[in-house]
Amino acid sequence: MSESILEVEHGLRNNHEQAMKNLQSIAKSTWSSCAVVLVLSCLWHQYIETVVPTPYLDEFFHVQQANSYLQGRFFEWHPKITTPPGLYVLSLLYLSWKSRVYSIGKVTVAHLRLTNVFAAFGFPFICKWLLEGLVTEYVGLQILDRDLPYLWSLAEINHAVLNICLFPPLFFFFGLYYTDVWSALSVLITIQLHQQRATTSMVVAGIVSLFFRQTNIFWVAVYLGALEITRRLRRGRVDVEKFRSLSWRTVVVGSWQTRCIYDPFVAQALFEDYVATAVSIVAASAGAFRRLIPYLYPYILMLSYFGFFVLWNGGVVLGDKENHVASLHLAQMLYLWPYIMFFSIPLLYPYFLSAVIPQNYIPSPVRMGSTRHQIPRLRVAIPIMAVMLAVVHFNTIVHPFTLADNRHYTFYVFRILLRHPANKYLAVPIYLCSAWAAITAFGGLPNMQTPPKKVPANTGAPLRESPPKSDRRQRLPPSSNSSVDDRGHHVSAVLAWLLATTLSLVTAPLVEPRYFIVPWLVWRLHVASPLPTGGEAHKKRKKKIRTFKARCKAVFYGQHDHRLWLETLWFLAVDWAVCHIFLYWGFEWPQEEGNVQRFMW
């Protein structure tokens, strides 16, 4: 017995050392992604300064407000600005330091736009640290395994970080003086501090993020608070987790009594699993309410701060309140899915291929396993489509700004949707398919890795014996079997993301691509699929490459996720098109002759 314990401890030590070596190498290599992002953002900034040297659109308001702060007039506020003054405070600190070191003369819009270029420098590091936290979490799932930890390859994690920074709606605003870049960065910093269990720093960062955009409260308090609840509640009781053969009453009572949640992996989950997980979390949280309260104080503190701000301000937005009245806009959640699909089709196309084409007919470079067991069944798809149709019919809100300003791409999207009364209803199947692919992506791609050994969680309560193999097969999803990996993210992570995304979007009457940046960033960070570096797969990936053809095959798809290359090409193409149109496809309004209008997100 003692020898086996020593053997386990030795395996744990080796795994930990190997994981630390991999994480250190990841940290050293982030500079490559950072250099590429910084060069591209500086080029974009330079092009804008050459072609558009004066403030454009909302920059007029932001530049005027920044100049007021630079001149010490802190109690003046432009009536058209709705967001808090975080961006102007940052510019004040940056330019105050720069004026002491360099002689900059009169402050211009170019100096202010550089504030967002500095944010571009920080994005690769924050994204790398967040992915590093996900890697560490993944190692913890199979820490007792004898093989090496399952980690992202060094090239792939840097490639993913680069792609995230090239995300078109984000990259575009690296060159303009808008609040969205620093708003998104502050949210990611807060999430990273939550991963590191740095509670005090997390609260400070969360409150700072509210100085950039008010709706960040749903990410720094609600989203992270939901993750904290599921982190503190226990998993591992067979009588709760194997709910499929049990009644709903048994799940609710079992979760209440044991303080243990039903929380399967996304790769194994069907629609009813999401409902069961939500019910289980509510029941277990109610049963463990007193125990959870001490862990929720940081999030309650941030919510209280936000509540005091709303009471003091008399509303959420600071200025232009008559045009930004909070309302219930459920259709925003429908627009989210084609938004994700459009920008992330290089990542999501294998799900559609594997759903409609037999594996034998798919070319080997793109053959990544079947997801047919996760296709929505008719008894699920029909009610969901009915709800979507009801939302489209009763809650399609078209803000006056949307159809009055042809400088934004949403103007043309809504013209298509409203051109014929049936168009908005015909889009519902697109919403459904896009939502299915986006949520399924949380579970990773099938057959991308060898599944790790599953170790029951130590809940402090006795576990039932595992049911026999035949019984286990009946309790899993109808088409789930041993080929479905026990890996990826839990259903609770998807529910937390959906909750924060819904709260941040449905209260906004205006539809703008900028509002979807943070939901997409959090989604993208969670859909990266780890590839194995241990066992037989590790030997295959380390196999010596002798010919140029074999090397190209390894780099582009053999030993590297080819979807990352497709994503890079797609983002670069969209970035180039949007930036080129903004710079060189200007036009004039008859009522404003001499003023060049430009297309933008």
Side-chain angles (χ1 to χ4, degrees), residues 58 65 91 107 150 181 236 253 274 304 318 334 344 356 371 393 400 425 457 466 481 493 510 527 553 564 574 582 591:
D58 288 359
Q65 188 61 46
S91 299
V107 175
Y150 288 77
V181 172
V253 173
Y274 289 87
S304 301
L318 288 173
L334 301 183
S344 299
V356 299
T371 55
H393 184 75
Y425 301 105
S466 297
N481 49 44
L510 190 61
V527 301
K553 177 181 177 181
L564 294 175
V574 176
F582 176 78
Q591 66 271 28

Side-chain angles (χ1 to χ4, degrees), residues 126 146 176 259-260 301 336 416 538:
I126 296 301
R146 291 295 189 275
L176 295 178
R259 279 53 165 177
C260 179
L301 179 62
L336 169 70
I416 295 173
H538 175 66

Side-chain angles (χ1 to χ4, degrees), residues 443-455:
L445 284 167
N447 301 336
M448 287 287 284
Q449 60 193 20
T450 305
K453 297 176 183 178
K454 192 172 182 180
V455 180

Side-chain angles (χ1 to χ4, degrees), residues 126-198:
I126 296 301
C127 292
K128 183 271 297 182
W129 285 326
L130 283 166
L131 289 175
E132 177 184 307
L134 294 173
V135 170
T136 305
E137 179 183 348
Y138 188 82
V139 171
L141 291 176
Q142 50 90 61
I143 196 68
L144 293 178
D145 214 347
R146 291 295 189 275
D147 294 331
L148 294 175
Y150 288 77
L151 299 175
W152 282 281
S153 72
L154 187 61
E156 285 163 322
I157 193 170
N158 281 295
H159 201 161
V161 167
L162 174 63
N163 288 349
I164 291 171
C165 296
L166 292 178
F167 178 52
L170 178 68
F171 181 82
F172 181 84
F173 289 104
F174 282 160
L176 295 178
Y177 193 58
Y178 275 65
T179 61
D180 303 274
V181 172
W182 276 99
S183 172
L185 183 61
S186 65
V187 170
L188 295 186
I189 291 173
T190 308
I191 296 174
Q192 192 271 332
L193 292 170
H194 174 265
Q195 278 189 348
Q196 300 296 323
R197 311 290 201 272

Side-chain angles (χ1 to χ4, degrees), residues 465-535:
E465 292 183 5
S466 297
K469 191 172 183 179
S470 59
D471 188 27
R472 260 202 320 268
R473 187 162 51 248
Q474 294 173 359
R475 296 186 179 189
L476 287 173
S479 54
S480 296
N481 49 44
S482 59
S483 67
V484 178
D485 298 335
D486 289 337
R487 50 136 170 91
H489 298 287
H490 288 273
V491 167
S492 59
V494 181
L495 293 177
W497 177 78
L498 284 172
L499 176 62
T501 301
T502 302
L503 292 174
S504 64
L505 292 180
V506 300
T507 54
L510 190 61
V511 180
E512 288 200 32
R514 296 182 294 140
Y515 297 165
F516 298 91
I517 289 177
V518 173
W520 184 90
L521 286 173
V522 177
W523 174 85
R524 179 62 183 87
L525 287 165
H526 283 79
V527 301
S529 298
L531 293 178
T533 59

